[in-house]
Amino acid sequence: MLAIGVGGADAVDAMTGTPWELKAPQVVGIHLTGSLNGWSTTKDLILHLAGRLTVRGGTGRILEYFGPGVFNQSCTGLATIANMGAEVGATTSTFPYTPKMNAYLKATGRGLVAIAADEAASQGFLSPDDGAQYDEVIDINLSEIEPTITGPFTPDLATPISKFGSFVKDQGWKDEFSAGLIGSCTNSSYEDMTRVADLARQAQAAGIQAKVPFLCTPGSEQIRATMERDNVTASLEGVGAVVLANACGPCIGQWKREDRKDEENGNLSLNIHHKKLTETNNLAILTSFNRNFKSRNDGNRLTMNFLASPTIVTAMSFSGKLSFNPITDSLTLPSGEAFKFTPPSGQDLPSAGFAAGEASYYPQPNPRPQPDVEVVIKPDSQRLELLEPFPSHFGENNPRGLELPPLKVLMRVRGKPSMTKAEMLTRLSIATWKYLERSLQSLRVSKLVSSLGL
């Protein structure tokens, strides 16, 4: 199976029964050997790959990961890679079925799916065919991957952490950042959270707290509840972290940021894909999210946002400096002693199983329409509004009478829509016309069949 995301216009085509067309993509084989170690994670792998492919390198291509290195990764670690495949423009990402996928399915209450997958795998499915040919093969030795930071403003400006300090200095930026953010859908697995909790416990034992605002967003109710039960939340809060509600959160801009609005981080002047960019920027932020285009997180287009793994973001939050490398650098304790983090460890699955959390948040197994449920919206809401059906232009005062009376107005626009909206409206209009055209054709065929007495 290949899962391929589509945009709104494509969804409209499907809703109207229009065939969805997709140009046959190329298949790029990502051959993984070796194993990640120390501070390196699957997030660093995909950030490294983004630096090699660029944001356009995966366009019109499926990324198929294969080789012995795949089987060393957790199921959720591979999910992080697939999550960020969109950042290189990939049509989709795929992996062979592994024993760790089996374990994850069972741990999340999908044992029957695991049994079916095992059966399919035993028949030769869910893995590359022998002698499979790829349009391109990219070899990556995981043992050589080091933690990577990408940005600002693009996920493919990748810099190994060993060179990031000098990169910051060369650009003339202040050697500081104003917030560390981890979690969301990309990096809030149990493995991610237990690894950062390990760092938090090391810091707490040394008597140090986060130097910058440190925010954590659990990616699901299941993860939130399991974090609380297993004292992961307590460990993070013990060093000054704020654990937010399980939601997208600051990753998509749900962050009402009030601090340090008027401070600057020097003049930004760098080349991104041969384009010169120069402007004055606010302080930087470090996140473990998947995207970092302008204004993405705090609504400020001048905030420099860098992407890294949750462990790197966490460790650097105790320094507050962009040049800090937790692999080689030490922090000075209040006593004057030097403290250095040890590589974090975590569990890919909880020993006691996942906690379900608040059951009311979960959808019903067999949901049924509930038309009697009232949708309550505040009368003065600035975000939501109950729309009444659009009245017809073809009313009693129309000298031409009621034209096209069976039809309903689907959408009405006033003013000057943006190009994106204009494209959407155009696609919607075309899709609607195709639907009407097919309906008329069916009607003509029916009349023809009837006239022929068939």
Side-chain angles (χ1 to χ4, degrees):
M1 182 191 80
L2 287 177
I4 300 174
V6 299
D10 297 308
V12 169
D13 285 351
M15 292 168 63
T16 59
T18 304
W20 181 57
E21 298 178 352
L22 173 69
K23 182 179 179 181
Q26 294 183 337
V27 181
V28 177
I30 312 295
H31 183 227
L32 303 182
T33 58
S35 60
L36 296 169
N37 51 69
W39 289 84
S40 298
T41 67
T42 52
K43 180 61 169 279
D44 300 301
L45 167 59
I46 188 61
L47 294 180
H48 167 81
L49 186 61
R52 292 177 62 169
L53 289 177
T54 78
V55 292
R56 296 183 178 86
T59 303
R61 308 168 98 183
I62 292 173
L63 303 183
E64 181 176 325
Y65 296 79
F66 70 103
V70 174
F71 292 82
N72 296 326
Q73 312 312 317
S74 67
C75 180
T76 51
L78 297 179
T80 294
I81 296 173
N83 181 296
M84 287 199 64
E87 310 319 310
V88 297
T91 302
T92 191
S93 302
T94 187
F95 312 86
Y97 180 63
T98 71
K100 292 191 176 184
M101 293 180 184
N102 173 286
Y104 183 79
L105 288 170
K106 291 179 178 177
T108 52
R110 289 172 280 191
L112 293 178
V113 178
I115 293 173
D118 288 343
E119 177 63 24
S122 68
Q123 298 179 30
F125 297 102
L126 306 182
S127 62
D129 296 334
D130 292 335
Q133 298 294 311
Y134 299 96
D135 294 285
E136 180 184 356
V137 174
I138 298 175
D139 289 297
I140 297 179
N141 183 350
L142 298 177
S143 303
E144 298 174 354
I145 295 292
E146 69 171 293
T148 300
I149 299 176
T150 65
F153 309 134
T154 181
D156 58 356
L157 185 60
T159 307
I161 195 168
S162 60
K163 300 179 180 178
F164 191 70
S166 58
F167 173 64
V168 170
K169 183 178 180 180
D170 292 343
Q171 303 303 325
W173 300 332
K174 290 181 180 179
D175 186 16
E176 59 184 55
F177 63 99
S178 58
L181 303 100
I182 62 174
S184 190
C185 67
T186 314
N187 274 120
S188 67
S189 67
Y190 190 76
E191 181 179 37
D192 291 325
M193 294 297 100
T194 51
R195 283 171 63 89
V196 299
D198 182 26
L199 293 174
R201 294 185 187 108
Q202 291 183 43
Q204 191 169 31
I208 57 176
Q209 296 274 302
K211 289 286 187 67
V212 296
F214 182 33
L215 309 181
C216 173
T217 311
S220 69
E221 172 61 10
Q222 180 174 261
I223 283 295
R224 181 207 62 78
T226 308
M227 286 174 60
E228 286 191 6
R229 184 201 65 194
D230 294 350
N231 295 317
V232 172
T233 299
S235 296
L236 293 174
E237 291 177 339
V239 292
V242 176
V243 179
L244 306 174
N246 42 292
C248 291
C251 179
I252 63 165
Q254 294 175 336
W255 181 15
K256 189 178 180 181
R257 191 178 190 193
E258 300 291 347
D259 65 314
R260 309 174 78 164
K261 285 184 175 180
D262 300 323
E263 297 185 36
E264 298 177 353
N265 203 47
N267 291 322
L268 173 66
S269 180
L270 72 162
N271 287 301
I272 298 180
H273 306 313
H274 308 296
K275 294 182 179 179
K276 189 75 170 179
L277 180 64
T278 303
E279 55 187 42
T280 300
N281 271 63
N282 279 5
L283 288 173
I285 61 174
L286 281 174
T287 86
S288 68
F289 304 150
N290 51 9
R291 293 173 187 164
N292 63 341
F293 53 78
K294 289 185 177 184
S295 305
R296 168 77 176 185
N297 306 121
D298 62 1
N300 187 341
R301 71 179 184 85
L302 297 178
T303 297
M304 294 193 298
N305 39 10
F306 297 93
L307 304 178
S309 70
T311 48
I312 291 299
V313 174
T314 300
M316 293 180 69
S317 294
F318 290 98
S319 166
K321 294 185 177 297
L322 291 173
S323 62
F324 179 69
N325 180 353
I327 302 174
T328 58
D329 299 344
S330 299
L331 298 172
T332 302
L333 302 178
S335 63
E337 296 179 293
F339 166 75
K340 183 179 177 183
F341 286 107
T342 59
S345 61
Q347 295 175 254
D348 58 345
L349 298 172
S351 302
F354 285 103
E358 178 54 57
S360 62
Y361 292 164
Y362 291 86
Q364 296 297 319
N366 298 296
R368 295 181 180 179
Q370 300 179 33
D372 56 330
V373 174
E374 181 183 4
V375 178
V376 179
I377 297 177
K378 293 173 61 176
D380 59 347
S381 173
Q382 300 299 307
R383 298 178 57 247
L384 301 174
E385 179 183 1
L386 285 175
L387 295 179
E388 297 296 330
F390 294 115
S392 172
H393 280 301
F394 311 118
E396 297 179 357
N397 297 325
N398 183 3
R400 291 181 293 179
L402 293 175
E403 300 180 53
L404 306 175
L407 300 185
K408 294 183 178 180
V409 178
L410 299 179
M411 184 176 295
R412 182 177 297 167
V413 178
R414 293 178 180 175
K416 298 179 180 180
S418 65
M419 289 300 295
T420 302
K421 293 179 180 177
E423 180 185 8
M424 179 187 70
L425 294 173
T426 302
R427 293 290 297 272
L428 178 61
S429 300
I430 293 173
T432 305
W433 174 251
K434 287 181 179 179
Y435 175 77
L436 294 174
E437 186 178 40
R438 283 196 302 275
S439 299
L440 291 172
Q441 288 175 346
S442 299
L443 181 61
R444 294 191 192 102
V445 170
S446 298
K447 289 183 177 180
L448 176 62
V449 170
S450 177
S451 65
L452 294 176
L454 299 178

